[in-house]
Amino acid sequence: ILYTDYFLSNLIKILERQKNTESCMLYLSDHGENLYDDGKKLIFHGTPQPSIYEYHIPYLIWTSDLYNTNNQSIIKSIMLNKAKKASSTSTFSTLLHMANIRYNNSDSEQTNNLASDQYNEPKNRKILTGSGKIITVN
């Protein structure tokens, strides 16, 4: 976890040094970790009944000052949606929208886009457990 923080911090510093460049970075983990976080005394990930520590993962969006200036509606939507639940399924439409890349169905997928004012927070999320079972969590 500390190394990931270190790596992301250094990546942001590299991006910040790119003057007169619109840049954005999106990071999410594919899973979390149990670190004896509660009375269950679980460790690692991939348990048959995942704890919140396994599926409540980091989802980080960083943008440069120039990106913020030139994409104010996107930044406004991200800020509006930052406290909402998200899923890794939001990544594709969010990143493409942030890069101003459009495709045939992109307008219909804005409800999955964290950078859109049409984002619709998922009610349930699907998780693949360590035993290969798919479960639904809120």
Side-chain angles (χ1 to χ4, degrees), residues 67 71-79 97-98 100 114-115:
Y67 185 94
N71 299 279
Q72 292 181 14
S73 64
I74 288 174
I75 298 304
K76 181 180 176 186
S77 294
I78 290 171
M79 296 306 288
H97 183 81
M98 291 181 70
N100 290 310
L114 288 161

Side-chain angles (χ1 to χ4, degrees), residues 1-121:
I1 295 169
L2 287 174
Y3 184 76
T4 299
D5 290 349
Y6 169 78
F7 174 81
L8 294 174
S9 174
N10 283 332
L11 182 56
I12 289 170
K13 288 174 186 171
I14 290 168
L15 292 172
E16 286 177 327
R17 286 194 298 262
Q18 307 303 309
K19 299 300 178 196
N20 300 315
T21 303
E22 286 187 39
S23 17
C24 60
M25 180 193 77
L26 189 150
Y27 168 80
L28 72 152
S29 178
D30 61 338
H31 59 77
E33 290 290 330
N34 291 302
L35 302 170
Y36 292 105
D37 296 305
D38 57 23
K40 295 178 185 175
K41 299 196 186 282
L42 298 172
I43 191 162
F44 305 124
H45 63 274
T47 58
Q49 277 300 123
S51 72
I52 191 170
Y53 305 106
E54 290 178 78
Y55 63 80
H56 189 257
I57 61 169
Y59 200 119
L60 171 70
I61 297 173
W62 175 89
T63 54
S64 67
D65 290 339
L66 187 58
Y67 185 94
N68 296 345
T69 299
N70 294 340
N71 299 279
Q72 292 181 14
S73 64
I74 288 174
I75 298 304
K76 181 180 176 186
S77 294
I78 290 171
M79 296 306 288
L80 182 72
N81 296 322
K82 76 177 186 175
K84 295 180 182 177
K85 290 180 183 176
S87 169
S88 59
T89 57
S90 301
T91 304
F92 181 75
S93 56
T94 300
L95 195 54
L96 289 179
H97 183 81
M98 291 181 70
N100 290 310
I101 298 172
R102 303 293 183 260
Y103 51 96
N104 287 343
N105 294 327
S106 62
D107 289 340
S108 66
E109 295 184 3
Q110 294 309 299
T111 58
N112 294 324
N113 175 358
L114 288 161
S116 169
D117 60 0
Q118 298 173 43
Y119 177 70
N120 190 11
E121 182 177 24

